[in-house]
Amino acid sequence: MRFPLKLTANLTKYIVGKRLRGAQKFPLVMMLEPLHACNLTCTGCGRIREYKSTINEMLTVEQCLAALDDCGAPVVSICGGEPMIYPEIGRLTREILARGRHIYLCTNGMFIRKKLHEFHPTSSFFWNVHLDGLERTHDLCVEKDGVFREAIEGIKAAKAAGFLVSSNTTIYKETDLEEIAELYAYLHSLGVDGFMLSPAYSYSAVQTRDIFMSREEIREKFHQASQLLGKFNLMVSNIYLEYLRGERELPCTVWGSPTYNPRGWKSPCYAMTDAHYATFKEFIEKTPWENYGPGRDPRCEDCMMHVGFELSAVLGANRKLGDNWKMLTWQLSGKMGGAGSRKLTNGRGNGHSNGDGQGNHDGNGSASARPASASSQEVVRPDGSLRVW
Ligand code: SF4
């Protein structure tokens, strides 16, 4: 399975229920930004620049939960800023899981080891670690040495403790896809469960304009990406990949991934800001959706980001004959767990089992930080190249 069975089943049930009730626009993945502060200053990040004046503001856990209840999305992507510097990240996560939601905690990985004891492994929770290349490249992208190594140590600790881990890679104009293939092979050896990737969005707040791609360049890049990376457990759908390769069109369905942050519901989307609304109802009803998307707003022209178009595939927008079958076989043909995965051992009935059954979770969510499989060797050399083993 490409994703945990429970996640797929809950999402399917939710979408069918919404469709039967005649809902037109409904959220699937809530992008929750409890704060915008970050310990890094990544080159391509729009957040720390756009929200510079409110960088010290943060939501309370209660505000986060009220917003979640307000929109009702079954999946929550906790992002930011760096969510691991949110003081109550452990409690926030537990409260969301207690509401039966699924979480992707999007992090730069710098504080996983430090805070791992605040979390418990379950198939409803993924550490989603941002990595844009091997050591040298990644540290350059995040403008700080040592980030790659610490993120890798965090991944090893999380896998050793029985957590699900995915990686998230932003593809820029200069991204070397051969290097990303090496990165994925390495992460696979550590037991990483899945790989997300998306073309970068050209944030107006980011001054380094020449790192972003045009629509044509994205298509070329993702042709190559499909060839080099298709053998890994990609957590982007094959229909979205067809769109990225220019083989089909999809509409922007960004209302499916609403963003909530200390200023409210961000309209229209994660990448662009024209307004903030206090309630989800206002956000859905007052955003002029017909004005957004490629061909409608110049700022959307080169956008092919996953938040805008990945859900279009899941929601069946521009459906073609055979798409349902394609989505089903895509889910069934995936395999989480990489080469060094361990079973979840928390006994919470998760439908996910892909490891060697030797998980060393100690019963209270803490990690012994024993590395998984290949991690006993140092596999990345100081110059960023991989040792072959
Ligand atoms: S196409 Fe959609 S997701 Fe992309 S910038 Fe425009 S509104 Fe946002």
Side-chain angles (χ1 to χ4, degrees):
M1 296 289 270
R2 197 167 294 269
F3 291 93
L5 186 59
K6 189 174 163 191
L7 171 62
T8 308
N10 284 354
L11 260 182
T12 307
K13 193 171 146 202
Y14 172 84
I15 294 172
V16 169
K18 287 286 182 189
R19 291 280 192 234
L20 287 176
R21 287 195 293 279
Q24 295 295 315
K25 292 186 173 63
F26 50 88
L28 284 180
V29 181
M30 176 186 182
M31 312 294 286
L32 175 60
E33 300 175 340
L35 80 177
H36 286 131
C38 190
N39 55 316
L40 299 177
T41 53
C42 304
T43 306
C45 177
R47 281 299 181 279
I48 53 168
R49 294 170 177 90
E50 179 185 344
Y51 287 98
K52 204 172 179 181
S53 62
T54 54
I55 203 88
N56 293 325
E57 291 179 13
M58 64 175 101
L59 295 165
T60 63
V61 171
E62 285 64 34
Q63 285 172 319
C64 293
L65 297 174
L68 176 59
D69 291 343
D70 188 19
C71 83
V75 181
V76 183
S77 174
I78 307 180
C79 37
E82 170 51 52
M84 289 297 280
I85 60 177
Y86 182 66
E88 293 195 87
I89 187 64
R91 180 162 85 89
L92 175 62
T93 302
R94 287 192 296 278
E95 296 278 2
I96 294 173
L97 290 172
R99 282 166 161 74
R101 311 302 168 85
H102 301 264
I103 296 178
Y104 285 86
L105 201 164
C106 305
T107 174
N108 57 41
M110 292 290 280
F111 303 109
I112 294 179
R113 283 201 295 178
K114 190 173 171 197
K115 292 199 169 182
L116 198 61
H117 63 281
E118 294 184 30
F119 300 83
H120 298 271
T122 153
S123 68
S124 294
F125 178 85
F126 272 88
W127 294 103
N128 189 19
V129 183
H130 198 122
L131 288 170
D132 283 345
L134 291 169
E135 184 169 10
R136 201 170 29 186
T137 306
H138 184 65
D139 285 357
L140 212 64
C141 288
V142 301
E143 302 182 9
K144 191 175 164 79
D145 287 342
V147 174
F148 180 86
R149 280 175 177 266
E150 186 52 46
I152 293 297
E153 290 307 319
I155 289 172
K156 289 175 184 174
K159 286 309 304 177
F163 285 89
L164 293 174
V165 177
S166 55
S167 68
N168 187 18
T169 301
T170 306
I171 306 293
Y172 297 96
K173 191 185 277 187
E174 298 300 326
T175 299
D176 175 355
L177 290 165
E178 303 268 1
E179 179 180 339
I180 301 302
E182 282 185 54
L183 171 71
Y184 281 14
Y186 174 45
L187 295 176
H188 178 78
S189 78
L190 300 184
V192 165
D193 295 275
F195 304 88
M196 298 183 187
L197 71 166
S198 175
Y201 176 75
S202 174
Y203 290 100
S204 53
V206 177
Q207 300 301 316
T208 322
R209 313 295 309 156
D210 53 1
I211 60 176
F212 300 115
M213 291 180 283
S214 68
R215 185 163 285 260
E216 219 27 68
E217 288 168 326
I218 292 173
R219 287 173 174 168
E220 261 174 53
K221 206 80 170 176
F222 276 85
H223 260 290
Q224 199 194 349
S226 297
Q227 285 163 3
L228 287 169
L229 310 177
K231 62 184 173 212
F232 298 103
N233 194 42
L234 296 185
M235 286 178 159
V236 288
S237 76
N238 46 7
I239 292 178
Y240 177 52
L241 280 173
E242 286 176 6
Y243 170 68
L244 290 172
R245 293 194 300 261
E247 293 162 10
R248 70 189 295 157
E249 282 306 320
L250 289 174
C252 169
T253 51
V254 78
W255 38 263
S257 310
T259 301
Y260 188 75
N261 66 36
R263 295 191 57 198
W265 291 99
K266 184 178 185 292
S267 169
C269 71
Y270 181 81
M272 263 168 27
T273 313
D274 286 344
H276 288 93
Y277 294 107
T279 67
F280 182 71
K281 190 168 185 289
E282 277 183 285
F283 162 77
I284 284 289
E285 290 178 357
K286 291 188 177 171
T287 300
W289 299 106
E290 65 285 0
N291 294 348
Y292 297 110
R296 297 171 177 176
D297 185 312
R299 295 170 296 174
C300 298
E301 219 38 58
D302 290 326
C303 172
M304 298 177 88
M305 280 191 313
H306 66 103
V307 286
F309 300 91
E310 168 83 78
L311 291 184
S312 311
V314 178
L315 290 164
N318 283 4
R319 190 182 294 279
K320 289 186 188 174
L321 197 66
D323 277 358
N324 284 344
W325 178 248
K326 208 180 260 183
M327 289 293 280
L328 181 67
T329 50
W330 168 71
Q331 157 70 341
L332 295 176
S333 65
K335 189 173 185 301
M336 291 184 296
S341 185
R342 292 166 196 288
K343 269 184 187 173
L344 292 176
T345 54
N346 61 353
R348 290 181 193 175
N350 46 58
H352 167 61
S353 172
N354 52 22
D356 57 12
Q358 297 170 29
N360 67 339
H361 174 50
D362 64 10
N364 61 12
S366 68
S368 64
R370 177 161 65 83
S373 67
S375 58
S376 57
Q377 305 164 30
E378 190 51 79
V379 287
V380 182
R381 295 193 183 97
D383 67 357
S385 63
L386 284 180
R387 286 183 209 283
V388 178
W389 65 93

